[in-house]
Amino acid sequence: MRLPDLSGHQLPREPTRLARRSLRHVAGALLGLLVGPLLVLTALLQLVRWRGPFRRVRRWELARLGWAYRLQLEDSGGSFLGGRRSLLHGTLAGVLGYVMGDLLMLVAAVVLGSLVQSLYGSAVIIEFDLWAISRPAPAVLLIFGTSSLLAAALYAEFVVWLQTTLLRRWTSVVRADAMDSRISRLLTTRRGVVVAIDDERRRIERDLHDGVQQNVVSLSVTLARARRAGDPERSAALLDQAHTQSQSLIEEVRQVAWRIYPTALDEHGLASALDGVAETSPVPVHLDLRLEDELPQAVESAAYFVAREAVTNVVKHAGASRVDLTLVTIEEADRELLRLTVTDDGIGGADPEGGGLQGLARRVAALDGSVSVDSPLGGPTTITAEIPRD
């Protein structure tokens, strides 16, 4: 089975895509009411050596599964669908299709009946065994019509899930609809990565402009004053001042380079890089690092930048006296995750939609991870990032 090419892949907007998907699923369930019984009947005819009709109906059923449910089967010829399997599959498709038809008849009765009554401005009376209610037709159309359509869409999803689950007992199945959802998330993540890169470039530009560039200008002015000074002692004092400024400039350039990407991350690993974050933070940072083995470079980089940005936000906005940073590997849903938790005792009220936290989320989402924020007013604030290790 071929996977779709992501290059230039264009998907319709999410509401449109979901509406089309629901309509296909509903139509597919209804077609099951026709094809399912035919599959059972022709499977029984095989007992008397009449196999032509069965093969034809089986092709129809595979076409229904491919068009309506977007199922990609490893055995595209359908040889797995024979004997008792075809009887079970056809019976299930027929029963599910019958229920869908009955549900759609209810939807049609409610929607069309309420619409007709709305045109004449009368009320709709809904009778039950023991009681009856009378409501204006527009209200019935809005409430019961919408809920009936939603029920049909949800039932159609259940039909697809149930038939896919049964088919997976016999052959490998891939749902293209699920892959489209995944591709949609990947496209969104890709856009988020581009935004995160642009934000990082702007931050680097600000660091260079507001810090390094100003100190370079100041150093240049001091050296110019030293050259013009007629007094040797005055010139020597200015040169000493310039030397001190150059040392500060070197340290500031080193700090800017560290914020862009710390060499310790490549040379000594994530633990050493996080030690550097703790040492340079004006707020005490207590580390609890429980790493048993090496991590992929991309995972280490994402965890480092999340930790650094989270600590920077605490220093700037939280008014905290302590930061606890925990890094541990966990297993969840058959996959291994790196969980990073940053907790501070500050004032709380962090906005998850803020630029800094959104930048963290975009960076982690690029690796199929997630970021959650718990920050009630008054604190404490806890930022948790979970990143798949592979």
Side-chain angles (χ1 to χ4, degrees):
M1 291 172 290
R2 293 184 303 173
L3 297 178
D5 184 8
L6 289 180
S7 59
H9 192 95
Q10 296 293 328
L11 291 175
R13 293 182 181 274
E14 195 70 10
T16 303
R17 187 180 66 82
L18 291 177
R20 290 177 181 175
R21 168 176 163 171
S22 295
L23 288 174
R24 279 191 288 100
H25 291 176
V26 170
L30 280 178
L31 288 174
L33 178 59
L34 299 175
V35 181
L38 286 176
L39 188 65
V40 173
L41 178 61
T42 53
L44 293 174
L45 290 177
Q46 283 194 115
L47 299 177
V48 294
R49 306 294 181 180
W50 194 12
R51 297 181 179 179
F54 173 75
R55 293 171 181 170
R56 187 178 301 110
V57 174
R58 185 172 62 185
R59 287 197 299 269
W60 294 349
E61 174 61 8
L62 294 175
R64 180 183 76 92
L65 296 174
W67 170 77
Y69 302 160
R70 297 290 175 87
L71 300 185
Q72 299 177 3
L73 307 176
E74 184 177 35
D75 184 0
S76 58
S79 59
F80 65 92
L81 206 58
R84 287 180 296 178
R85 291 178 178 179
S86 60
L87 294 175
L88 177 58
H89 179 82
T91 301
L92 179 63
V95 171
L96 294 174
Y98 175 80
V99 176
M100 174 58 77
D102 199 47
L103 181 57
L104 288 180
M105 288 180 62
L106 174 63
V107 171
V110 172
V111 173
L112 296 179
S114 301
L115 184 60
V116 171
Q117 295 288 59
S118 299
L119 296 177
Y120 291 97
S122 59
V124 173
I125 300 176
I126 304 176
E127 295 186 358
F128 299 90
D129 289 341
L130 300 178
W131 50 280
I133 59 175
S134 176
R135 288 292 182 269
V140 173
L141 177 63
L142 178 63
I143 298 173
F144 289 95
T146 304
S147 60
S148 299
L149 291 173
L150 179 60
L154 292 176
Y155 177 73
E157 287 290 334
F158 169 75
V159 170
V160 178
W161 171 82
L162 187 58
Q163 292 206 274
T164 303
T165 302
L166 179 62
L167 289 171
R168 280 178 176 153
R169 298 174 64 90
W170 304 328
T171 185
S172 177
V173 181
V174 174
R175 286 189 62 182
D177 281 336
M179 295 175 66
D180 281 348
S181 298
R182 173 66 176 151
I183 293 170
S184 180
R185 287 194 297 270
L186 287 174
L187 292 176
T188 302
T189 300
R190 184 176 66 181
R191 288 191 291 268
V193 170
V194 173
V195 173
I197 292 173
D198 289 341
D199 290 344
E200 191 69 11
R201 287 172 175 167
R202 282 191 288 269
R203 185 192 63 78
I204 294 171
E205 192 276 335
R206 286 196 302 269
D207 287 346
L208 293 175
H209 180 272
D210 298 340
V212 175
Q213 179 177 315
Q214 298 301 323
N215 286 335
V216 169
V217 172
S218 177
L219 175 61
S220 176
V221 170
T222 301
L223 290 174
R225 290 173 59 194
R227 290 181 60 184
R228 291 195 302 267
D231 184 0
E233 294 183 358
R234 175 61 176 166
S235 177
L238 289 172
L239 288 175
D240 288 340
Q241 180 181 344
H243 179 265
T244 301
Q245 288 178 331
S246 68
Q247 295 301 310
S248 299
L249 180 59
I250 291 172
E251 178 61 25
E252 187 161 5
V253 170
R254 185 181 293 115
Q255 290 298 322
V256 170
W258 176 273
R259 288 194 291 271
I260 294 173
Y261 193 89
T263 56
L265 193 58
D266 286 335
E267 296 175 357
H268 307 293
L270 180 59
S272 178
L274 293 178
D275 283 337
V277 172
E279 290 173 1
T280 57
S281 171
V283 178
V285 178
H286 301 267
L287 300 177
D288 180 13
L289 309 180
R290 287 170 276 171
L291 298 176
E292 299 178 357
D293 49 12
E294 292 185 1
L295 299 168
Q297 183 178 5
V299 175
E300 284 192 339
S301 177
Y304 166 76
F305 282 107
V306 169
R308 191 201 69 189
E309 187 67 24
V311 171
T312 300
N313 287 342
V314 171
V315 173
K316 289 182 178 180
H317 309 296
S321 60
R322 174 189 175 101
V323 178
D324 293 304
L325 193 154
T326 303
L327 196 63
V328 63
T329 300
I330 64 171
E331 289 190 5
E332 185 176 289
D334 298 329
R335 64 176 184 169
E336 203 170 6
L337 300 175
L338 180 68
R339 175 177 288 172
L340 170 67
T341 305
V342 181
T343 304
D344 68 78
D345 59 356
I347 59 176
D351 181 12
E353 301 300 324
L357 294 178
Q358 281 295 302
L360 299 184
R362 286 192 291 264
R363 185 181 292 275
V364 173
L367 297 177
D368 203 22
S370 62
V371 174
S372 62
V373 180
D374 180 19
S375 182
L377 290 176
T381 296
T382 301
I383 299 175
T384 303
E386 293 184 348
I387 309 171
R389 289 191 48 154
D390 50 358

